[in-house]
Every structure is written in C-alpha cells, then in structure tokens.
Amino acid sequence: MRVCSTPLLRKFWYCVAPSADLTDRPLGTRVLDQPVALWRDTDGTARAVIDRCLHRTARLSLGTVHGGNIVCPYHGWTFNGHGQCVKVPQLVEHRPNPFGVEAYHCAERYGYVWVALEEPLFDIPAIAEFGQPGWRQVHEFHEVWNASPQRIIENAFDPAHISFVHKDSFGRDDPSIDPFRIDDTPDGFVFTNVVKVVNAEHMKAALAMNDDETTRDSSNRFHLPFSRVGRIVYPNGLVHILCTFLTPIDDTRTRFTQFVVRNDTEADVPADTVVAFDRQVTREDLGILESTDPDVPLDRSEGTEVHMMSDRPGVAMRRQLRALMQQHTPPESAAAT
Ligand code: FES
Ligand SMILES: [Fe+2]
C-alpha cells in the first residue's frame, strides 16, 4: 500500500499543525499529497481549502486573510471557509458566482488543527483524561519523518523491537515476548500487556523513580489508520498516556505529532525531562523506520514480508484497513477489479 494511492485514507482526521502556529496569516500544509491552505475566519474558527487557486493555481497559503476569508496573493480572488469565491477584485460590479475551491473538514482538538479531506469515518480519537483536574499535557514533537505512517504505527505496537532498537534506553537484553492480548474496537483495537523494562537514567528522571528495572502495565489503543493512545501505568502510580498521531504528507513522508497526558505536575517532573526521554526513544525508532520500505503490503498474498507471532498487532492493523477498504469500495470499481 502506498498511502497516496489509497482513497480510503482521505476519510480520516489528521493532525496538521499546532493551533498556536495558525495566527492571522494563512498556513500551508500537505495531506496525502494534497496541498492544503489553513486560516482562521472572523470567529477564530480554523478553515481548510485546497492550496491551489482556481484562477492560475497560485498557492492561497501565500496570501492573506481579509474579513475572515483567504485572499489569493496573485490577483486577489477571495474565498470563504466553504471554498466559495466571494470576490474577484477585477470585476467592477460584484456578482455572486458559482465557482469555488475544494474545502475540507477542519477542527481543533488537544491544541492542534486537524483536517479530513473527505467526510471522516470516525471522530478524532478520544482521550478521556485530557483536560481533567490532576492531569497535564506535555507537547513533545511535531516533525517530519521520512517513513510511511503504516510502518511508524505498526512499530508503536511491536513488542519485538524493544530489546534491539531500544537497547540503549529501556530495552532489556532479552528478546522473549511477554504475553499480550488484542481486543477489537469499532475503530481499531486495544493492545494490553505487562512488560519488564530497564529503568535507564533518563527514564528514572522522567518517571521520578529510582529502581533499576520497572514494569509497564500498558493498555494501548490503536485508532485507524495511524493513531496511538497508549496508557502506561508504572508501579509508583504514574500514568503516562502517549498520544501519537501520524499524518501522511505523501508516499514517503509523515508528519509525526506526539504529546503525553500525565497525572503528575511540573514540580514532580519538568516537561523538558519528560520530553528528553521520549526524544531518545523516538530517535532510536526513527533511525530504523526511515530505512524501511514505504510500500506496505496489506495482504499476505502480496507476499513480500514474513511475519512472526509478535507482529500480530501490525497484521491486525492491515486486516482492519483492508476490511474498511472493501467496505468503502464503490460497487462498480469492486466489479472492475
Ligand atoms: S491565481 Fe489566484 S487570483 Fe489569480
Ligand atoms: Fe520503539
């Protein structure tokens, strides 16, 4: 599967920018190789349209915002939040016109702007603890990785890589796999396990816990297609909810957004310390994932990869995506294939 050749993927929410980056100027981004222009209307509501003017194709995101609408930098044609062209400055007399640019679903949650290119099949993943008293959010990364989001999300649920890729951080020198279970949900599954890990120096600081080894009692939710809300409980009562949202930019690049929600305070563990440990871990993953093939076979019959038992979460992701693709394939194209 190459993400840009998979129309189903247009039907999901993707995290595209920190809300704080969307100010009084438009912002350009890319989702599934589609250029997207973002701006705020007069209410401050985030809006998204295709980043290509229908007059002579200039990037609308290079323009300005006027009266809540986006103004093309080339000849000033102006579009509202529904994509409708509301002004052609060269026309002496303003007439309503029937043309416009494609508009996309746009929302804000968890301090980020989200876009869906088509009617989304599911809501943005819920995080029940977010914003509740006693819980805080720590923003970690919003950056571009040269890897497929399918590879990155599978890796987030791959227990077998830890003793190899993370041997310098929290991986134990023991490749055996602790038991886990997978329970399907309407938009993915929950992966649960309890694993022993090394409590490395960075991790001791991030957990405020001095033992040399510890356990992670994990309940990691996978949300189709590329999201993880991973709830890890440590023996000292700390709950570290790792929230990872992956946005396909094109076939080989992914926007990687991660924050955590925790039941401690800045005085317990400074945010910089929380980020430093997860930074080390994600850097270890990045080095490997950028070496993998972005073309991921969704079906075993495509036959280019061999699986082992610990790949079950990744295989389940591929199965669920395949099932949704079949469900949402129009009958005429299904008949043609
Ligand atoms: S290209 Fe946008 S107004 Fe001409
Ligand atoms: Fe990893």
Side-chain angles (χ1 to χ4, degrees):
M1 173 188 68
R2 286 198 177 266
V3 288
C4 296
S5 322
T6 309
L8 177 83
L9 294 176
R10 296 172 61 89
K11 299 177 187 290
F12 295 93
W13 285 107
Y14 296 109
C15 182
V16 292
S19 289
D21 288 1
L22 193 56
T23 55
D24 54 351
R25 300 165 58 89
L27 195 65
T29 188
R30 209 166 186 88
V31 178
L32 289 163
D33 218 16
Q34 193 77 43
V36 176
L38 306 167
W39 79 99
R40 291 191 186 281
D41 69 14
T42 44
D43 299 335
T45 304
R47 301 291 191 170
V49 296
I50 189 168
D51 196 6
R52 178 185 164 101
C53 183
L54 52 64
H55 176 224
R56 289 296 179 269
T57 76
R59 286 184 57 193
L60 296 171
S61 62
L62 298 177
T64 52
V65 177
H66 189 74
N69 301 318
I70 190 166
V71 182
C72 179
Y74 199 174
H75 310 94
W77 290 25
T78 302
F79 303 88
N80 69 16
H82 304 291
Q84 191 193 355
C85 181
V86 292
K87 185 173 178 186
V88 175
Q90 292 75 17
L91 292 179
V92 182
E93 203 181 301
H94 176 70
R95 295 188 295 270
N97 61 64
F99 49 83
V101 290
E102 195 175 1
Y104 303 123
H105 301 265
C106 192
E108 285 186 82
R109 204 159 307 166
Y110 310 132
Y112 292 89
V113 180
W114 300 68
V115 164
L117 299 180
E118 293 180 16
E119 184 69 34
L121 297 176
F122 304 106
D123 198 1
I124 295 167
I127 305 166
E129 296 81 354
F130 182 88
Q132 295 299 314
W135 296 84
R136 64 167 167 156
Q137 180 185 29
V138 177
H139 294 279
E140 293 198 322
F141 331 112
H142 183 73
E143 60 191 21
V144 177
W145 286 27
N146 295 312
S148 154
Q150 185 68 33
R151 296 287 183 201
I152 303 173
I153 195 66
E154 289 186 11
N155 177 72
F157 290 79
D158 171 10
H161 80 289
I162 291 172
S163 64
F164 287 85
V165 175
H166 300 305
K167 60 182 184 307
D168 294 333
S169 52
F170 67 105
R172 294 165 75 223
D173 186 20
D174 175 4
S176 62
I177 307 295
D178 293 296
F180 61 83
R181 59 176 289 170
I182 299 174
D183 295 291
D184 282 2
T185 59
D187 69 338
F189 59 74
V190 184
F191 170 99
T192 44
N193 69 350
V194 180
V195 291
K196 273 203 177 123
V197 294
V198 172
N199 195 16
E201 288 310 309
H202 267 136
M203 190 158 140
K204 285 179 180 171
L207 303 183
M209 199 165 63
N210 277 326
D211 313 65
D212 291 330
E213 277 204 343
T214 187
T215 53
R216 286 176 151 197
D217 190 336
S218 299
S219 171
N220 293 331
R221 289 195 341 251
F222 160 65
H223 297 271
L224 282 158
F226 309 129
S227 299
R228 176 258 306 265
V229 178
R231 195 177 201 280
I232 306 169
V233 181
Y234 289 98
N236 64 352
L238 174 68
V239 182
H240 181 94
I241 305 174
L242 203 48
C243 307
T244 308
F245 302 107
L246 305 169
T247 300
I249 298 171
D250 53 31
D251 278 332
T252 59
R253 293 180 303 159
T254 296
R255 190 170 296 284
F256 185 116
T257 304
Q258 184 162 287
F259 59 83
V260 291
V261 176
R262 293 170 48 122
N263 62 346
D264 64 352
T265 65
E266 183 71 17
D268 296 325
V269 180
D272 286 353
T273 306
V274 175
V275 175
F277 177 68
D278 284 342
R279 174 86 284 173
Q280 180 185 0
V281 172
T282 47
R283 282 264 167 257
E284 291 165 348
D285 287 318
L286 173 71
I288 290 296
L289 290 170
E290 290 198 337
S291 78
T292 60
D293 187 345
D295 191 358
V296 182
L298 285 192
D299 196 313
R300 281 168 199 255
S301 67
E302 292 174 30
T304 55
E305 294 181 3
V306 176
H307 306 308
M308 59 180 169
M309 185 279 291
S310 56
D311 296 319
R312 272 182 50 218
V315 170
M317 291 173 188
R318 297 181 191 191
R319 168 179 52 78
Q320 292 187 336
L321 203 50
R322 236 176 28 241
L324 265 191
M325 284 164 70
Q326 278 160 6
Q327 205 179 319
H328 291 274
T329 303
E332 62 277 19
S333 46
T337 53

